[in-house]
Amino acid sequence: MKYDYLIVGSGLFGAIFAYEANKKGKKCLVIDKRNHIGGNIYTENVEGINVHKYGAHIFHTSNKEVWEYINQFAEFNRYTNSPVAIYKDELYNMPFNMNTFNKLWGVVTPAEAKAKIEEEKKQAGITDPNNLEEQAISLVGKTIYEKLVKGYTEKQWGRKCTELPSFIIKRLPVRLIYDNNYFNDKYQGIPIGGYTQIIEKMLKGIEVRLNCNFFENRNELENIAEKIVFTGPIDEFYDYKFGELEYRSLRFDTEILDEQNYQGNAVVNYTEYEIPYTRIIEHKHFEYDTTSPKTVVTREYPDYWTKEKEPYYPINNEINNNLYEKYKALANNSNKVIFGGRLGQYKYYDMDKVIVEALNCVNKEL
């Protein structure tokens, strides 16, 4: 055995494991099928602007240890996620707060806003929601649902809200304050200079092979290390023995524009179903750049997933979760392979949760 650990995937989970194992004297090989490190948090410098290649990644956490850990590798700015939503040329603040309610109904006080929502909920008279549409209306009423939830959700999932189960929306954040901050977390920001530098620092001094697909080189790679840390799809690792897990994919359309400021905000959501993309990201606003003569924008399109496409979001319904448990049982009986990350553990993790999982895995293993 040439290495202690073969780490498949150079995203956040794999890079943290490699970094911590390397500190403890373990010899690691990191491979990635893409031509770059960083997984989905990869940022690429285009026209002097750090472009989030695989969609907006905004770091936020209430865990002080996690915040201090990630700050070893980059200085973060004070970016606050305050997206806006556009519905038929009307502009609304997100998440739902007093600014949103004032624009919708002209209400000014929290009591007026609450009364209006309660009035709409009462008019709907839904006590036992049978689908996502009924669940959403029972939480926030018809106006908010139809303008700000329905179209966006149907695009995101590729199905009508009446065909989606109610459990997808357990709650909808209603804030009776004038605050456009999307996250309630204590710590929030974007790394100055982008995310790629973080992974570069983690993997410094560690052997990395890019354009290396584990499954195309499986016979060689499985016997190259004592153990494998696998951050790809767990069902693919086991040759889909019990069947395929389902995902939603994304498609990105990025363009460079010869103007300084396209939309005035980093993230603008489009909630009409008729507009095929869910949001437009203007990357320069993540780092408060107002000087570049050009700007880079990305339209984000939800997409059906096939094996040829990137899996972005696990579909954690009952059928898929039960299927995952079968694969997890196989994994639990293996002394050779450790599964991690969104795809390896079939969970929608934010970045701070990935860090927690990776550090827990390292502590358990080493």
Side-chain angles (χ1 to χ4, degrees):
M1 294 291 179
K2 200 173 172 187
Y3 302 94
D4 296 302
Y5 293 97
L6 168 70
I7 295 154
V8 181
S10 65
L12 198 51
F13 190 100
I16 289 171
F17 190 98
Y19 174 75
E20 295 296 333
N22 186 54
K23 279 202 304 186
K24 290 180 164 56
K26 302 295 182 183
K27 193 173 184 188
C28 301
L29 169 64
V30 177
I31 66 167
D32 203 294
K33 68 178 182 179
R34 290 174 174 165
N35 64 358
H36 60 74
I37 58 171
N40 289 345
I41 68 168
Y42 173 69
T43 46
E44 180 179 42
N45 194 283
V46 179
E47 298 286 346
I49 297 162
N50 290 305
V51 172
H52 296 222
K53 188 94 172 175
Y54 304 98
H57 283 82
I58 298 145
F59 198 92
H60 59 98
T61 187
S62 291
N63 187 324
K64 190 178 180 183
E65 288 178 25
V66 165
W67 182 244
E68 289 174 347
Y69 183 84
I70 201 69
N71 272 265
Q72 297 175 84
F73 306 103
E75 182 184 352
F76 281 70
N77 67 18
R78 56 172 185 83
Y79 180 81
T80 299
N81 189 27
S82 304
V84 292
I86 292 178
Y87 174 81
K88 294 186 177 178
D89 297 326
E90 300 167 359
L91 192 144
Y92 296 95
N93 289 109
M94 300 290 282
F96 314 136
N97 66 67
M98 286 303 299
N99 292 307
T100 321
F101 309 140
N102 175 264
K103 183 75 179 281
L104 284 168
W105 301 304
V107 297
V108 175
T109 68
E112 289 171 334
K114 192 174 181 181
K116 189 67 185 171
I117 293 168
E118 290 303 319
E119 177 191 329
E120 290 202 3
K121 286 164 64 175
K122 191 176 179 182
Q123 283 174 354
I126 299 166
T127 52
D128 186 21
N130 291 311
N131 54 51
L132 188 146
E133 176 169 291
E134 292 181 357
Q135 173 76 341
I137 293 171
S138 73
L139 291 169
V140 293
K142 199 169 183 180
T143 304
I144 295 174
Y145 166 71
E146 290 192 340
K147 290 194 172 188
L148 300 176
V149 178
K150 185 175 188 285
Y152 191 94
T153 305
E154 289 181 348
K155 287 189 284 189
Q156 194 82 338
W157 288 92
R159 289 165 64 188
K160 297 293 182 188
C161 287
T162 50
E163 298 169 7
L164 290 166
S166 58
F167 70 75
I168 289 175
I169 293 183
K170 293 187 173 69
R171 54 184 283 277
L172 282 167
V174 172
R175 297 185 188 165
L176 298 172
I177 53 175
Y178 288 92
D179 182 5
N180 299 325
N181 181 4
Y182 196 84
F183 300 120
N184 282 322
D185 289 308
K186 186 175 180 181
Y187 309 104
Q188 183 176 171
I190 300 280
I192 298 166
Y195 284 97
T196 305
Q197 58 173 325
I198 292 173
I199 306 299
E200 284 173 347
K201 288 172 187 171
M202 288 179 177
L203 296 180
K204 189 176 181 182
I206 297 168
E207 187 179 345
V208 178
R209 291 185 200 170
L210 300 176
N211 300 304
C212 181
N213 188 314
F214 173 79
F215 296 105
E216 291 173 6
N217 303 276
R218 188 165 189 163
N219 289 340
E220 173 210 346
L221 291 170
E222 278 198 313
N223 299 307
I224 208 170
E226 294 287 344
K227 280 194 169 184
I228 298 169
V229 177
F230 189 80
T231 66
I234 188 171
D235 55 340
E236 187 178 10
F237 184 88
Y238 288 113
D239 297 318
Y240 308 104
K241 181 175 181 175
F242 304 119
E244 290 179 29
L245 292 165
E246 292 180 291
Y247 300 88
R248 285 291 284 167
S249 192
L250 292 170
R251 184 166 56 82
F252 303 101
D253 179 12
T254 299
E255 59 179 331
I256 302 164
L257 302 176
D258 283 315
E259 56 184 295
Q260 229 175 3
N261 189 354
Y262 176 72
Q263 64 185 15
N265 206 49
V267 182
V268 177
N269 294 344
Y270 286 79
T271 62
E272 283 173 72
Y273 183 77
E274 291 71 22
I275 294 174
Y277 43 85
T278 49
R279 59 184 179 174
I280 298 179
I281 300 156
E282 188 169 9
H283 301 270
K284 71 193 310 183
H285 294 304
F286 287 128
E287 297 190 52
Y288 302 104
D289 177 4
T290 56
T291 58
S292 301
K294 295 187 179 184
T295 193
V296 182
V297 298
T298 300
R299 286 170 178 80
E300 192 172 299
Y301 297 81
D303 201 4
Y304 289 98
W305 175 79
T306 64
K307 286 181 190 175
E308 292 73 42
K309 296 176 185 176
E310 283 293 328
Y312 284 95
Y313 302 108
I315 299 178
N316 290 116
N317 58 21
E318 190 175 354
I319 293 169
N320 284 304
N321 288 343
N322 288 339
L323 183 56
Y324 167 68
E325 287 301 320
K326 292 182 179 179
Y327 286 115
K328 188 181 175 186
L330 282 182
N332 289 342
N333 288 326
S334 171
N335 294 319
K336 172 86 174 176
V337 189
I338 299 163
F339 292 90
R342 276 188 186 185
L343 305 181
Q345 297 179 330
Y346 199 67
K347 275 186 188 162
Y348 181 84
Y349 283 130
D350 286 329
M351 286 179 284
D352 62 325
K353 302 298 187 297
V354 172
I355 292 171
V356 169
E357 287 294 318
L359 291 177
N360 285 345
C361 178
V362 167
N363 290 336
K364 187 178 175 184
E365 177 67 16
L366 300 174

